[in-house]
Amino acid sequence: TINESNCKINLRDEKAILEMENKIEKAIEKDISKTLATLQDHNADVIGYEDLLYKNKPKIYKNLKQKYEDDLFKNFHFKVNVDLNLYAKGNILKEI
């Protein structure tokens, strides 16, 4: 939620809104990717991906687990994609 904006963005301009959405998406994607990389560096699967793989694809899990032994999570490859839609602009007042 953007409660107050003291910048010169015209929130009535759809192009400006799309540009803001894209910048926010990229920032969130970067933060999530950095977080996942840090978790992988510490082999800390706090999200539970390995467990999900074990429960939903046990045969694949068994093959991968034997190959990577205790470093399965470290070897996961993630693709982060954020789709942000600003849907409500609230009250837009003109500058004083």
Side-chain angles (χ1 to χ4, degrees):
T1 303
I2 301 174
N3 292 328
E4 182 177 338
S5 177
N6 292 322
C7 60
K8 300 294 180 189
I9 299 172
N10 180 358
L11 296 176
R12 291 186 179 106
D13 181 5
E14 288 299 319
K15 185 176 177 182
I17 299 275
L18 288 173
E19 188 175 316
M20 188 181 346
E21 286 176 349
N22 288 333
K23 287 180 181 180
I24 295 169
E25 286 173 351
K26 298 292 183 236
I28 293 171
E29 287 172 359
K30 183 178 176 183
D31 286 347
I32 291 171
S33 294
K34 278 178 68 174
T35 300
L36 287 169
T38 300
L39 290 171
Q40 286 183 293
D41 287 345
H42 293 83
N43 201 24
D45 183 12
V46 297
I47 300 168
Y49 286 116
E50 192 171 339
D51 191 46
L52 283 171
L53 182 62
Y54 170 74
K55 288 178 181 176
N56 294 304
K57 302 287 184 180
K59 289 180 182 178
I60 294 172
Y61 174 82
K62 184 179 178 182
N63 291 334
L64 290 174
K65 186 66 176 171
Q66 290 171 350
K67 183 176 180 182
Y68 293 114
E69 297 182 18
D70 293 328
D71 293 331
L72 180 59
F73 179 69
K74 280 186 174 186
N75 292 290
F76 280 176
H77 296 281
F78 295 98
K79 180 177 182 195
V80 178
N81 184 22
V82 175
D83 184 18
L84 175 76
N85 293 302
L86 298 175
Y87 60 90
K89 298 173 190 148
N91 294 328
I92 302 173
L93 304 175
K94 290 184 180 181
E95 290 184 30
I96 299 175

